Amino acid sequence: MDITAIIQSFSTEDSKLFKTYLRSKNRRTDTKNLTLYNLIRKGTPLKEIDILLYGSANRNAYHALSKRLQDSLIDFIATQNFENETSDDMQVFKWILAARILYEQDLHKPAQKLLKKATQKAKELDLHTALIESYHTQFQYSHLHPEVDLQKLTQAAQQNQQRFIQQEQLNMAYAHIKRILIFDEHLLKKGIQKTVEEILAAFHIEINETFTFKSLYQLLEIINTAAHLDHNFGEALPFITHTYNLIKKKDIVQEKQRFYHIQVLYFMANAHFRVRDFEQATHYLSLMNTEMNAENGKWKSRFRENLLLINSFVLNYSGNSSLAIADIDNHISTTKQKVDPDILLAQVVFLTQQDEYKAALSTLNKFKHTDSWYEERLGTDWMIKRDLLSLINYYELEYIDLVHSQLRSFKRKYKKIILSEVRLERFVKVFSQIFNDPTIVKKANFRESVMSQFTVASLKDEDIFMVSFFAWIKATLDGTKLYETTLAML
């Protein structure tokens, strides 16, 4: 297990809590686990750590200490999440267990009262597993309560069982769809949206108001991912909106459900931004911000960068580029944590559109990890955007050798995707022609051919990011400013 990645992922608050946790476990004063943690947290090269710990090379002792620190990390993470994330869930199960014990002691009335309390709380939190246990206990002791309407109880238990099965079916469908989205190389040819709908139908999943917050969130995540890969939020938006309307019918958001609700609002804001409905995107961002500030801002740090990302995009594409750039610059300069790569890539987009090519390239150079690292965490689509932005900035800075090398690498690395994705193939072809012969932009037949492909009318339903890349081609042919050209094409 890579404990370095776990340690580096800790927030400042988590780090303080973990060190306090370590100190509470240490019975001796000479224990080196805290020192090892601090060294890893600082980014000390692993090959140097054993010498710093023991004064000389001692890999065996270092590995044993690392194993003990790993165990402590696992215990800490599990304990923290158990306390913070499942307290309501566990309270329900405790009430059910206590009710069973009371029944065994012939204390029927308090037992029944506890069960009712547990059932009500479980319904509020959509805890179908807990409800199964609660109803099971109620049936077991129903002969002690002749006043209970057994038919109503049976009906309630059966409805819960159906919802539990529905949840499991969605989990299975979710797993199948995620597997396809990650591993199916021919997915773009078949059509992601259609694939998702086919799998949902195969598992007999009908979207309705009985879905839990978590289920609806999972569904929106699937559709959002599909639309993202297919660059087709316009087609997905009715499905997304229908799902969100079901969420709106839910009662007041419980604390346990707020995490999923914030995620859903983020999906809604992103979907409307991608179809250029900036007013609606701003509306959902406002709702998202309100939810983030609830519970004394419990989820504020978790979703801060998500909110910043979409809001900065909305500002930039609404004509407020200076404010978008200022917001991101301020975040990068003030945050104590590693900046999300999506935030850095957004900065590259904005700087490139303002002809700040050296500044954009400086930000691109901050991506220090390997391509496989970024692809695994952020996906191929993210990689393609980053590499296309690199190509454009190299070209504008007249780094001919870098353009030549990057273009050749790009065509080789994404050969299958280029062949299957018409939009990308079109851009790469035109870019290559312009790079190989810069004078071609003056030729009437070339200009006419290219311009006919990238008119405002032909791009009216196109994804906003693809329009941004096509805008670069139009600006290059027309000799106009990229940012103004981009806004004019939206």
Side-chain angles (χ1 to χ4, degrees):
M1 181 184 292
D2 184 3
I3 62 173
T4 301
I6 297 173
I7 290 171
Q8 295 295 347
S9 72
F10 278 177
S11 66
T12 302
E13 184 62 28
D14 286 338
S15 185
K16 287 179 182 178
L17 289 171
F18 179 66
K19 287 195 281 189
T20 300
Y21 174 78
L22 272 186
R23 292 189 191 100
S24 70
K25 287 188 65 178
N26 291 342
R27 294 173 182 168
R28 294 164 40 189
T29 57
D30 61 344
T31 304
K32 296 182 183 294
N33 54 8
L34 191 56
T35 305
L36 174 59
Y37 174 83
N38 287 330
L39 288 170
I40 294 175
R41 181 77 174 170
K42 290 177 184 175
T44 307
L46 295 181
K47 61 183 179 181
E48 300 175 8
I49 289 182
D50 59 335
I51 297 173
L52 292 171
L53 284 169
Y54 304 108
S56 60
N58 193 339
R59 301 306 289 177
N60 289 335
Y62 163 68
H63 285 305
L65 182 63
S66 295
K67 177 62 170 63
R68 291 196 295 274
L69 181 60
Q70 173 186 302
D71 292 341
S72 295
L73 283 165
I74 293 169
D75 288 343
F76 171 77
I77 291 169
T79 301
Q80 285 295 106
N81 282 278
F82 185 82
E83 291 176 353
N84 297 334
E85 299 301 325
T86 62
S87 56
D88 288 333
D89 305 39
M90 293 310 300
Q91 187 62 59
V92 171
F93 282 106
K94 285 178 184 177
W95 287 338
I96 295 171
L97 177 60
R100 288 173 178 171
I101 293 170
L102 290 171
Y103 271 123
E104 290 170 1
Q105 296 175 353
D106 292 329
L107 299 170
H108 305 158
K109 285 189 176 180
Q112 185 186 42
K113 188 175 181 180
L114 260 184
L115 269 183
K116 285 182 178 179
K117 190 175 180 180
T119 302
Q120 182 59 38
K121 191 67 175 177
K123 285 179 179 178
E124 290 174 5
L125 298 174
D126 292 322
L127 300 177
H128 300 307
T129 304
L131 281 168
I132 286 173
E133 293 297 322
S134 176
Y135 288 131
H136 175 83
T137 306
Q138 289 180 62
F139 282 122
Q140 184 178 355
Y141 295 100
S142 62
H143 63 281
L144 300 174
H145 305 285
E147 75 281 1
V148 172
D149 189 327
L150 201 57
Q151 189 159 349
K152 282 187 178 179
L153 184 65
T154 301
Q155 187 178 16
Q158 288 174 338
Q159 286 177 347
N160 178 68
Q161 193 171 44
Q162 289 172 357
R163 289 172 183 172
F164 174 78
I165 293 170
Q166 180 189 62
Q167 176 67 55
E168 289 305 298
Q169 286 176 318
L170 183 63
N171 284 338
M172 289 185 279
Y174 179 82
H176 279 75
I177 293 168
K178 290 289 281 188
R179 176 71 64 89
I180 289 174
L181 294 180
I182 294 170
F183 297 110
D184 192 339
E185 295 180 356
H186 305 291
L187 187 59
L188 292 176
K189 287 184 178 179
K190 185 177 181 181
I192 298 172
Q193 196 74 21
K194 185 178 179 182
T195 301
V196 170
E197 291 172 356
E198 286 178 356
I199 292 176
L200 291 176
F203 283 91
H204 308 291
I205 295 172
E206 183 180 346
I207 313 305
N208 55 49
E209 65 278 359
T210 64
F211 271 58
T212 66
F213 266 92
K214 181 179 179 180
S215 298
L216 291 167
Y217 153 70
Q218 284 183 305
L219 187 62
L220 278 182
E221 184 187 23
I222 290 169
I223 301 302
N224 187 74
T225 302
H228 178 77
L229 290 175
D230 211 18
H231 304 286
N232 196 344
F233 277 85
E235 182 182 329
L237 193 57
F239 198 118
I240 292 173
T241 303
H242 170 65
T243 306
Y244 178 71
N245 286 335
L246 293 175
I247 292 174
K248 284 172 66 177
K249 292 180 181 178
K250 295 284 183 183
D251 293 332
I252 296 172
V253 179
Q254 303 293 324
E255 290 183 7
K256 181 69 178 174
Q257 300 160 337
R258 185 158 278 113
F259 171 84
Y260 300 114
H261 194 219
I262 295 171
Q263 288 274 27
V264 165
L265 291 169
Y266 171 77
F267 290 152
M268 294 300 294
N270 180 59
H272 282 89
F273 159 69
R274 296 292 285 269
V275 298
R276 314 177 210 176
D277 187 347
F278 303 139
E279 184 177 346
Q280 278 297 303
T282 302
H283 167 69
Y284 287 111
L285 288 173
S286 177
L287 294 176
M288 181 179 171
N289 187 53
T290 300
E291 288 296 303
M292 286 166 57
N293 284 301
E295 300 178 63
N296 296 317
K298 176 180 178 180
W299 296 108
K300 198 166 185 177
S301 61
R302 167 65 177 80
F303 291 102
R304 179 184 57 195
E305 289 192 323
N306 300 73
L307 183 72
L308 171 68
L309 182 67
I310 304 301
N311 189 59
S312 64
F313 274 130
V314 170
L315 287 171
N316 181 70
Y317 286 96
S318 300
N320 298 301
S321 59
S322 58
L323 188 54
I325 292 171
D327 283 352
I328 285 188
D329 286 346
N330 179 63
H331 174 74
I332 292 173
S333 63
T334 58
T335 186
K336 296 179 181 178
Q337 306 301 317
K338 288 184 178 179
V339 180
D340 190 313
D342 280 331
I343 298 291
L344 292 177
L345 197 65
Q347 186 183 49
V348 175
V349 172
F350 304 157
L351 291 171
T352 302
Q353 290 176 340
Q354 296 303 318
D355 306 329
E356 298 285 346
Y357 305 120
K358 286 188 177 179
L361 191 56
S362 176
T363 302
L364 281 166
N365 289 333
K366 292 179 182 178
F367 296 123
K368 302 295 186 182
H369 294 290
T370 62
D371 285 358
S372 59
W373 188 94
Y374 287 111
E375 187 164 8
E376 179 182 340
R377 288 160 178 79
L378 299 163
T380 304
D381 189 64
W382 186 93
M383 289 286 296
I384 289 173
K385 287 175 186 162
R386 186 203 65 174
D387 291 349
L388 287 178
L389 285 164
S390 297
L391 276 171
I392 288 171
N393 280 281
Y394 289 153
Y395 178 89
E396 295 291 356
L397 291 167
E398 298 182 357
Y399 294 162
I400 306 303
D401 290 342
L402 286 175
V403 177
H404 184 268
S405 173
Q406 178 88 347
L407 185 58
R408 184 173 57 185
S409 172
F410 187 92
K411 289 179 177 179
R412 182 178 65 253
K413 186 167 30 173
Y414 305 117
K415 182 179 179 180
K416 290 182 179 179
I417 297 176
I418 292 171
L419 290 174
S420 63
E421 177 51 72
V422 175
R423 307 171 184 89
L424 184 59
E425 182 182 31
R426 189 183 302 171
F427 179 87
V428 172
K429 180 181 178 181
V430 175
F431 182 93
S432 300
Q433 289 174 306
I434 294 173
F435 171 64
N436 292 327
D437 180 14
T439 65
I440 200 171
V441 299
K442 304 291 186 183
K443 297 178 180 178
N445 60 338
F446 174 77
R447 288 174 55 81
E448 184 179 342
S449 171
V450 173
M451 296 294 262
S452 66
Q453 300 177 53
F454 304 128
T455 63
V456 173
S458 67
L459 299 176
K460 66 181 179 67
D461 295 322
E462 187 59 82
D463 179 75
I464 195 167
F465 290 127
M466 292 308 302
V467 173
S468 299
F469 286 115
F470 295 150
W472 178 83
I473 290 175
K474 191 174 191 317
T476 301
L477 294 180
D478 292 344
T480 54
K481 290 287 186 180
L482 176 55
Y483 186 60
E484 285 74 13
T485 304
T486 303
L487 295 186
M489 292 181 70
L490 294 179

